Amino acid sequence: MRFLAIGECMAEFAPTSAPNEYSLGFAGDTFNTAWYLARMWPDIAVSYFTAVGDDAISGQMCETFSASGIDHRHVQRLPGRTVGLYMITLDKGERSFSYWRGQSAARHLADDPAALNAAIEAADLIYFSGITLAILDAPARENLLNALQAARAGGHTVAFDPNLRPRLWSDPAQMTDAIMRGAAVSDIALPSFEDEAQWFQDANPEATAERYAAAGASTIVVKNGGDPVFFRQGQDCGSYPVPGLSGVVDTTAAGDSFNAAILAGIKGDIPLRDSVEQACQLAGQVVQGKGALVPVAPFPTGR
Ligand code: ADP
């Protein structure tokens, strides 16, 4: 399987144990999913599509893609631009995030339909998120949605995590409208119930799944933190209880790693319930480690 994630990867400054010292890393929702896929399922060809600048930090980001086993041949290097940045601050153990991403090159990732189509053409399964949609201006968002719709019509599989981030949108109605347009070009939807309930007033995970099914998705997995995962494939549906954990350290990238396991199973024709089980196992390890990219050991059997 050839997998392509489309979105924004950012430079991350995370606090170290020394006061006022930070370590540099790279993370971002769609990139995190690509990273877990490449790490846990080495037989899947993982590729990332974004835009970066032509400065040193952009080069370092691309080196990180390579070192993580992620193909970046389609990443656009835009002259004079750079990547977005966020910084994590700890206050009495509570993490807060500050972002500098307004000018990031990734906002232009879908400006050039030819570059976008070249990347999409080379993939079987294409993954994007509500954050990917949020960072684009209106014409670029149209380019992306049109390219995904055409890809789906041409037999590619499209997967979407709505990842609702109201702060990235000018108003909630614009966000919910764009999210449902993303859903309408997707075969697979991977929403998180808490956010969906807040912004779409879904009464329960079944209602979330129903809404994405009505939009056209045939496979839907509704995450819900430590509560059961609800899944639906065609007319089959079920729920899977998340195994309890003794300690949750940091839930960053819980959903991103979870999605990697679901997507790894899609093209392997693994029963959805088995993929959900493996997704809970992976996300369960990720929430017990610090940061977005937790160096979890690949599953013994692989897949
Ligand atoms: P997101 O990060 O997209 O909001 P969730 O918070 O719903 O996603 O978490 C995704 C998955 O991570 C869950 O389905 C579960 O497998 C795992 N997870 C998250 N929080 C917990 C928790 N408190 N205990 C055990 N597993 C958890």
Side-chain angles (χ1 to χ4, degrees), residues 192 223-226 229 242-243 245 248 254-255 258 280 283 287:
S192 292
K223 296 158 275 180
N224 196 7
V229 176
V242 172
L245 300 173
V248 172
F258 182 100
C280 288
V287 300

Side-chain angles (χ1 to χ4, degrees), residues 161 163 190-195 222-227 229 242-245 248 251-259 279-281 283-284 287:
D161 184 333
N163 250 336
L190 304 169
S192 292
F193 177 65
E194 201 180 341
D195 296 340
V222 186
K223 296 158 275 180
N224 196 7
D227 288 329
V229 176
V242 172
L245 300 173
V248 172
T251 58
T252 306
D256 305 332
S257 59
F258 182 100
N259 292 353
C280 288
Q281 215 181 317
V287 300

Side-chain angles (χ1 to χ4, degrees), residues 2 24 38 81 98 132 138 140 149 178 188 193 205 286:
R2 299 168 305 164
L24 171 66
R81 297 198 184 272
S98 305
T132 312
Q149 188 167 37
I188 301 164
F193 177 65
V286 170

Side-chain angles (χ1 to χ4, degrees), residues 1 3 32-34 36-38 40-41 44 125 127 190 221 254-268 270-284 299 303:
M1 169 168 85
F3 172 85
N32 301 342
T33 299
Y36 281 104
L37 261 170
M40 307 296 289
W41 291 274
I44 297 176
L125 174 56
Y127 172 67
L190 304 169
V221 181
D256 305 332
S257 59
F258 182 100
N259 292 353
I262 299 296
L263 297 174
I266 290 294
K267 286 282 173 173
I270 310 284
L272 188 55
R273 188 184 194 85
D274 294 356
S275 289
V276 170
E277 181 180 352
Q278 196 146 55
C280 288
Q281 215 181 317
L282 175 54
F299 294 124
R303 200 161 67 184

Side-chain angles (χ1 to χ4, degrees), residues 39-123:
R39 183 179 179 86
M40 307 296 289
W41 291 274
D43 54 324
I44 297 176
V46 178
S47 168
Y48 198 61
F49 184 76
T50 188
V52 300
D54 57 354
D55 57 350
I57 187 89
S58 298
Q60 245 179 297
M61 182 181 281
C62 289
E63 281 164 26
T64 298
F65 294 155
S66 293
S68 311
I70 298 171
D71 183 337
H72 59 86
R73 80 183 68 176
H74 294 289
V75 170
Q76 303 163 89
R77 302 287 300 256
L78 305 181
R81 297 198 184 272
T82 189
V83 298
L85 165 73
Y86 70 97
M87 190 170 186
I88 303 169
T89 309
L90 274 181
D91 184 18
K92 299 185 191 81
E94 277 296 308
R95 292 155 63 94
S96 67
F97 294 78
S98 305
Y99 291 91
W100 293 265
R101 72 196 305 188
Q103 303 293 318
S104 69
R107 292 188 170 255
H108 299 279
L109 67 84
D111 287 3
D112 176 3
L116 185 58
N117 284 328
I120 288 175
E121 258 318 302

